[in-house]
Amino acid sequence: MTGLNIFIVDDHTLFREGLKFLLSNSSFVLSISEAKNGKDFINNIHSSPPDVVLMDIEMPVKNGIEATKEALKIFPSLKIIALSMYGEENFYRDMIDAGAKGFLLKNSRFDEVEQAIMDVYEGKNYFSPEILNQIIKNLNRNNNLAKKNAVLSKREQEVLFHICKGLSNQEIADTLCISKRTVDKHRENILLKSQSKNTAELVVYAIKYQYFEL
Amino acid sequence: MTGLNIFIVDDHTLFREGLKFLLSNSSFVLSISEAKNGKDFINNIHSSPPDVVLMDIEMPVKNGIEATKEALKIFPSLKIIALSMYGEENFYRDMIDAGAKGFLLKNSRFDEVEQAIMDVYEGKNYFSPEILNQIIKNLNRNNNLAKKNAVLSKREQEVLFHICKGLSNQEIADTLCISKRTVDKHRENILLKSQSKNTAELVVYAIKYQYFEL
DNA sequence: TAAAAAATGCGTTTTTATACGTATAATCAT
DNA sequence: ATGATTATACGTATAAAAACGCATTTTTTA
């Protein structure tokens, strides 16, 4: 845990300078490289990959999300921490998808940055409390919707479930031991109630309101 | 932040006793109530709701998830922290959906429990690191799948998106200014690639692999 | 630059879904 | 106990999707 090579990617020179100064006083930092956007960054890591990258999200030329994806194509085990402005919390999803191992807000305290670097270097994740709250909040959201739209009868829910499983009306009829025409009718009624105009919209509805889980 | 009324819901007497003893020495705890299952708990909160509840998940008669839902119907602002055994991490989703504000593992250190109680009492969330890792991992998982299945071309993704929006092939053709037959073909190819046998399965696939968001 | 992949288009046939209608038995709630 | 909802079932017709096959142009990539 000593002598880490850190890479800062951010389009604001002053921010880079400040962070560089702070990091240069950290015991575990050996060297600090910089780039002013994603493209610059990609062009500069081919020779030797850094241990941990601090990556801004919004940048000209190539943003943090794209840069993260590309960098990980070259070095799949690269440790990248997203560094975002207040208000960019909702990019956490994109950054996680892109492969970032951590997510910090720019108004974090410096010891958080140090903690994040150490955690991520050790293979752990680090997400600042604000981001975690955001994540928890988003996990919650779906559930609230579900209750408001619980207008389908048990049988309709059952039919809807089988529709989502990819069964045709005939197959559903066989499964439930009822006539295909009955299933036809159920399906028609479900379409009505869910205000969907076809199977596609219906399945989206079913998943959104948790009649079916992925 | 002094004089909190804590409620412990757990079917293991010894566990309750131990936790009760530890909490009784905490400066911010005023009183501690207990229940051995969810039903007992519900019956005992009507008179006066506790400030913070520590709720086991697996219990006889009525489990923690059901108990949490019911309790929050009565007292919507009740602060409930899930307390789970190692291996029950994946209930976090159900507990969050039920309305829990925090999630602790039973092998946490006691200061974590204290921290969780304080955070949750103040309206924040508290999730133990193990749970957070689990959450992050699950957020990530979809994406890993997505990459392995990223076999759809740009145009196919576009068509798939419009299918999920509920458009018919003719409507999609009009939207994209191409022939309906072309859309037919795209749809056919997408079905093949996604190994779906009809629209329903296709839409499930699209959402699962994030070609379409709810 | 040559080969591969993707996007475009059309024809035909079968299956499935959608949209109307009607009607009866069972179950549920006031 | 009665009225409302739900589950059941059938008829008919049109629209859409799915399953084949084939072919040309454009774009991407090796």
Side-chain angles (χ1 to χ4, degrees), chain B residues 83-128:
Chain B
L83 254 179
S84 89
M85 300 287 284
Y86 177 78
E88 298 177 347
E89 292 92 339
N90 270 315
F91 284 123
Y92 76 83
R93 186 74 199 230
D94 292 317
M95 281 306 281
I96 291 174
D97 287 347
K101 303 295 184 299
F103 203 116
L104 286 171
L105 287 182
K106 282 192 181 176
N107 62 353
S108 305
R109 290 205 320 273
F110 181 63
D111 58 332
E112 262 202 75
V113 179
E114 291 185 304
Q115 189 63 52
I117 290 175
M118 289 188 290
D119 280 6
V120 164
Y121 180 68
E122 285 169 2
K124 292 192 270 185
N125 292 116
Y126 187 94
F127 291 83
S128 70

Side-chain angles (χ1 to χ4, degrees), chain B residues 153 155 178-179 181-182 186:
Chain B
S153 72
R155 199 56 152 178
I178 54 179
S179 146
R181 308 311 319 287
T182 303
H186 282 310

Side-chain angles (χ1 to χ4, degrees), chain A residues 153 155 178-179 181-182 186:
Chain A
S153 72
R155 199 54 152 180
I178 54 178
S179 147
R181 309 309 318 288
T182 303
H186 282 311

